[in-house]
Amino acid sequence: MTMMLEKDAREDLLDRGYSRRTIGKISALMAAGAAAGNLLIQPALAQQQAARGVKGAVRIGANECWTGPFEPGVQAAARAAAVGNWYDPDNYKGDLIATIAKVEGIPESHIMLWPGSGGPLVSTVAAFCSPTKGLVTADPTFESAWRTADYLKAPIAKAPQAIGKGHDVKAMLAANPNAGLYYICTPNNPTGTITPLADIEWLLANKPKDSFLLVDEAYIHWFDGPNAAKLVAGRKDLIVMRTFSKLFGMAGVRLGLTFADPEVQKRISLFGPTAGGLSITAMACGNAVYPEAGLIKARRAEMIANREETIAWLTKKGIEVHPGSEANMFMVDWKTKPAKEMQAALIATPEKVQIGRNWPIWPTVSRVTVGSADDMAKFRAAVDKASHLELK
């Protein structure tokens, strides 16, 4: 299995203390290509009703956008599909990178494209963690980094996150002052809360010089505020990750980004999936939608209106909602009712509403994705019915 990794990658892993057996596991993971993320998260998905859309349900369980790509993106993808008989009919990759560089104000050399964001997250953990250099995250947060580190037998440290707040970066550093990788998800999944840019800069200034920081900004377009993209300039210890899966409504199209110094990108790509590639339809769609500031602003405003209306309704009914979300999700604390039972109760109502899962640290708290105005009206109706049930 180790033949699936380049010689440089195998030597890098050996130098970091991995056994040849573990290198074989990493090779298998990389060989899985786009399925790598599924390989890691399958055990959890089997336990979570929200993992896959239920036919006919109101799908507000997986942080998907309630609608598809902006119309310019759909048209661009259709034009690309018409020349899909060619492997490389035009400079789709170069055009997209140039567009992103212009929008973000960062060098083209610092941008790498990926088929989704799951792959680069797995690859970054593989690139910078080891049996002695572990992973540090908040808790709760997106679990893919945890599962990758666990799969690779790298130490994992978690710093509890206060309700309504971003990551406690000082607690993260204290949790393992000698980690290989610190992972910040902002807006955080599942809480939707922002870690202030000043806190990110503090961690960069105080972490070990040989460690790396991954800032996962999958949900950043839902937030009208500063981001970490420009921090990559002049640094060789920072990776910023983005995706088109959220506000842009392209979850099934599969397109993601990493921003980092070229040398850092090269190291991540050593452990990149060996199968799959970038679709010209995905790149054409992404190139068309990324600069659409007006459409982005309008979709963000629509989501915020739907989110705030629903939170106000829940609060009026005496149902606690964690504050501070700046993304298309919020956390509902059912208090005396286990989150998994409320999840089952809502899907059983006539409205058939599929909400998100819970995290072990908060067993009575569910993540709810913000959908369309109609989706959220049905969610409110379902909660009205389910909240009166005696759950077992």
Side-chain angles (χ1 to χ4, degrees), residues 123-146:
S123 300
T124 301
V125 175
F128 302 117
C129 291
S130 73
T132 58
K133 291 282 189 177
L135 170 74
V136 179
T137 77
D139 188 13
T141 196
F142 186 52
E143 306 102 322
S144 184
W146 297 345

Side-chain angles (χ1 to χ4, degrees), residues 41-65:
I41 64 176
Q42 196 61 42
L45 295 189
Q47 302 170 19
Q48 299 291 351
Q49 178 218 43
R52 189 177 297 276
V54 174
K55 187 176 181 180
V58 175
R59 293 172 58 169
I60 53 172
N63 291 348
E64 298 155 310
C65 191

